[in-house]
Amino acid sequence: MGLQRKALRTTAVGAVSATLIAGSALGLAPTAQAATAIRFVDITGDGGTVLKANVITPAGADGTRRYPLLVMPTSWGLPQVEYLAQAQKLANSGYVVVTYNVRGFWQSGGEIEVAGPRDTADASKVIDWALANTPADARKVGMAGVSYGAGISLLAAAHDKRVKAVAALSGWADLIDSIYSGRTQHVQAAGLLDGASLVTGRQSAEIRQIFDDFYASNLAKEPELVAWGKKRSAETYVDQLNKNGAAVLMANAWGDTVFSPNQYADFYEKLTGPKRLELRPGDHATAEITGLFGLPNDVWTDTERWFDHYLRGEDNGIDREPPVQLESRSTAGYEGYPDWKSVGATRKKIALAGTTTIRANVDSGANGGVVFLSSILDQIARLPPVASIPLLPRRWAAVWQSEKYAGAQQVRGTTKLHTTLTPTKESGTLVAYLYDVGPLGLGKLVSNAPYTFHGQTPGKPFDVDLELFSTAYDVPAGHRLALVVDTVDPLYIEHNPTGAQLTFSSPATDPSYVSIPLREQ
């Protein structure tokens, strides 16, 4: 594990460095010719911690009028110049924009809290400062951010009723369901975050211990880990957020390997105020990245439209559009739905008949790819991870396939697996994959998800219900869908003791199946 963590951190260093170089080169370019005023300031955050910030005000602001305020916390590991291109555009449209480097990163003081109470308090302190030191309107306050900034923005809106609108882009609402879904550590995602924070910030003793316990699979620490994550999840405070009534825009990518779309969609359904959910192809923050460079970008266009309507009162129609907007990984263009439960409202089951036993501890060749790289390839070139389904070794992989479909199948939403599992050990991990299988047997990954169990009685069957990561994918006519289950995937930490075996069965009284969500034709 030590070598794996070192490799992940090295990868993170390279990724962060490349992003910063590109951001500095491209993100600053539009601001050099700007007419608006940009100031670099120090803001006193919670407990006296100094936060480095940028303030951008509309051209000609002379103190005679007030402007809507947008506060933008930075992403994990990125400096305060991250949003300059978008902040410039927003200021040119009539907003006061304050972007700040979150505590613990770069030149801001303090230690990394991972969206803890001090981070939430910092956001309120930044709002206080902006209202006292800029021509900002206290009645029209919004927050926006990508990734870490998105999570902090949602938490701030739940704790500070002055926040009237939020754009949370590639963020999380449930931190535990993001990096510990199916009770399984998402080790590549955690390693990337860990490595980036070691390069660009100062970890607190608490977060260092959390990472170490996470990697070590310390079950004794599991309740503590879950409690730590729930404190940092907007879902914990959804009632307060609903009471405050902020208008919430949430955007994410289907292939986000850090914060899966499932937890965002679940949270969206619990919101009762004005809301909008957008899901597109890509990986973590890749859908927003061109906008950070000042290039045309759908996510940032809708973000500005959202604030224009809910902070400036513009009748731009965004409130009358279907609030759930999806773009398929297979075809260009958006589909609108009235709510999340209407996505994939039609379901088709594939029976998982018979009894199949697989051995653990070996990667069968079916896997979810590599963090960032695989979903970026899918986004840009429509090349998801692939596997030859006929050649998967049945010793280590269980395989079930549908019939050939006469017409195209538009998978939309969350695929659900139900099966009966009998283990030979009390603990174990399985990973389920849904593939689109062409005539030659080559399978393109549609979705996947891990599942870990502990404390089971060896030889005693139990039910497994697992939701795969939500997606939008079109299966061509003449293709099949295949469900593959194995026990090892580089994306996740596996908990299979040496020599473990897993047996899947389908009792007559409780048949096993995979339920595929389909768009109504």
Side-chain angles (χ1 to χ4, degrees):
M1 181 60 70
L3 291 176
Q4 184 180 32
R5 285 172 57 188
K6 183 177 180 180
L8 287 168
R9 290 177 186 176
T10 302
T11 301
V13 172
V16 171
S17 300
T19 302
L20 297 180
I21 291 169
S24 298
L26 297 175
L28 288 172
T31 66
Q33 304 172 358
T36 49
I38 303 172
R39 290 186 290 147
F40 291 84
V41 301
D42 291 349
I43 297 176
T44 302
D46 185 58
T49 297
V50 174
L51 306 173
K52 298 294 182 176
N54 308 321
V55 182
I56 308 180
T57 53
D62 56 8
T64 60
R65 58 170 292 194
R66 295 285 170 178
Y67 300 89
L69 168 66
L70 292 180
V71 172
M72 304 176 71
T74 52
S75 300
W76 185 271
L78 293 186
Q80 66 201 67
V81 297
E82 175 188 6
Y83 300 121
L84 278 184
Q86 284 301 321
Q88 186 69 68
K89 287 185 176 183
L90 290 163
N92 287 339
S93 296
Y95 293 90
V96 171
V97 184
V98 179
T99 76
Y100 71 95
N101 224 78
V102 292
R103 66 169 54 227
F105 285 101
W106 294 88
Q107 288 106 349
S108 285
E111 296 178 323
I112 299 169
E113 299 280 335
V114 195
R118 289 182 177 178
D119 288 303
T120 304
D122 283 345
S124 292
K125 291 287 188 180
V126 173
I127 294 172
D128 293 342
W129 184 93
L131 296 178
N133 294 279
T134 74
D137 189 335
R139 302 165 301 169
K140 300 176 180 179
V141 177
M143 288 195 65
V146 175
S147 184
Y148 196 38
I152 291 175
S153 294
L154 284 174
L155 288 163
H159 288 86
D160 192 329
K161 62 183 179 182
R162 293 176 297 180
V163 179
K164 304 302 182 185
V166 175
L169 315 178
S170 289
W172 78 91
D174 187 331
L175 190 56
I176 294 301
D177 196 39
S178 296
I179 62 172
Y180 194 55
S181 72
R183 216 176 168 189
T184 309
Q185 298 98 320
H186 297 209
V187 66
Q188 285 192 14
L192 188 70
L193 296 173
D194 186 7
S197 64
L198 288 171
V199 174
T200 63
R202 298 168 300 283
Q203 293 184 351
S204 65
E206 180 186 40
I207 182 56
R208 183 65 263 155
Q209 190 62 54
I210 288 291
F211 274 124
D212 289 344
D213 291 340
F214 184 87
Y215 295 131
S217 304
N218 189 345
L219 279 179
K221 293 287 187 177
E222 186 181 47
E224 183 179 321
L225 172 68
V226 171
W228 176 87
K230 292 299 183 184
K231 184 186 293 186
R232 291 158 170 79
S233 299
E235 181 159 328
T236 302
Y237 313 100
V238 66
D239 291 342
Q240 187 61 44
L241 182 58
N242 286 333
K243 181 179 178 181
N244 290 348
V248 178
L249 164 66
M250 300 164 59
N252 204 355
W254 295 119
D256 195 319
T257 46
V258 181
F259 304 130
S260 75
N262 298 47
Q263 49 89 32
Y264 243 24
D266 290 344
F267 181 71
Y268 172 84
E269 287 291 90
K270 297 175 183 177
L271 295 173
T272 58
K275 59 183 179 178
R276 182 179 175 98
L277 176 66
E278 300 183 354
L279 294 168
R280 300 173 173 84
D283 205 311
H284 185 62
T286 62
E288 296 89 0
I289 195 167
T290 56
L292 294 178
F293 296 158
L295 301 174
N297 181 278
D298 289 352
V299 185
W300 288 103
T301 296
D302 285 348
T303 293
E304 185 169 353
R305 292 176 64 220
W306 190 254
F307 288 129
D308 284 348
H309 180 75
Y310 287 103
L311 294 184
R312 299 177 64 188
E314 286 191 8
D315 185 13
N316 57 17
I318 197 167
D319 59 318
R320 295 188 294 276
E321 296 171 0
V324 176
Q325 294 284 324
L326 310 182
E327 183 178 13
S328 169
R329 292 162 49 200
S330 308
T331 56
Y334 291 91
E335 305 163 2
Y337 298 84
D339 47 40
W340 176 250
K341 61 179 176 287
S342 298
V343 177
T346 300
R347 287 192 167 269
K348 182 178 292 186
K349 289 184 178 180
I350 301 173
L352 309 181
T355 299
T356 303
T357 298
I358 61 173
R359 291 162 176 79
N361 311 121
V362 174
D363 187 343
S364 70
N367 64 64
V370 179
V371 65
F372 280 122
L373 177 61
S374 297
S375 290
I376 291 174
L377 285 173
D378 186 37
Q379 176 184 358
I380 296 172
R382 295 179 184 165
L383 293 175
V386 298
S388 175
I389 304 304
L391 296 182
L392 290 176
R394 285 355 187 222
R395 181 182 180 89
W396 296 295
V399 180
W400 298 268
Q401 296 191 72
S402 72
E403 75 284 359
K404 286 184 180 180
Y405 294 114
Q409 305 294 301
Q410 295 182 315
V411 180
R412 298 291 186 273
T414 308
T415 295
K416 299 179 180 180
L417 166 66
H418 173 76
T419 189
T420 297
L421 174 62
T422 305
T424 59
K425 306 289 185 180
E426 67 172 14
S427 294
T429 297
L430 62 89
V431 185
Y433 310 88
L434 186 68
Y435 282 100
D436 160 26
V437 185
L440 299 179
L442 189 67
K444 294 182 178 180
L445 186 66
V446 177
S447 185
N448 78 99
Y451 178 91
T452 293
F453 59 89
H454 298 288
Q456 294 295 331
T457 302
K460 182 178 180 180
F462 64 95
D463 290 343
V464 170
D465 288 287
L466 174 63
E467 291 189 347
L468 277 62
F469 299 133
S470 302
T471 195
Y473 182 96
D474 297 350
V475 179
H479 285 214
R480 306 173 187 266
L481 282 170
L483 181 79
V484 177
V485 179
D486 71 3
T487 63
V488 177
D489 190 304
L491 287 173
Y492 314 113
I493 289 179
E494 53 104 356
H495 297 262
N496 297 294
T498 301
Q501 297 183 27
L502 304 179
T503 297
F504 303 92
S505 58
S506 183
T509 56
D510 185 18
S512 296
Y513 61 84
V514 60
S515 175
I516 312 296
L518 299 174
R519 183 185 183 192
E520 285 195 52
Q521 301 297 307

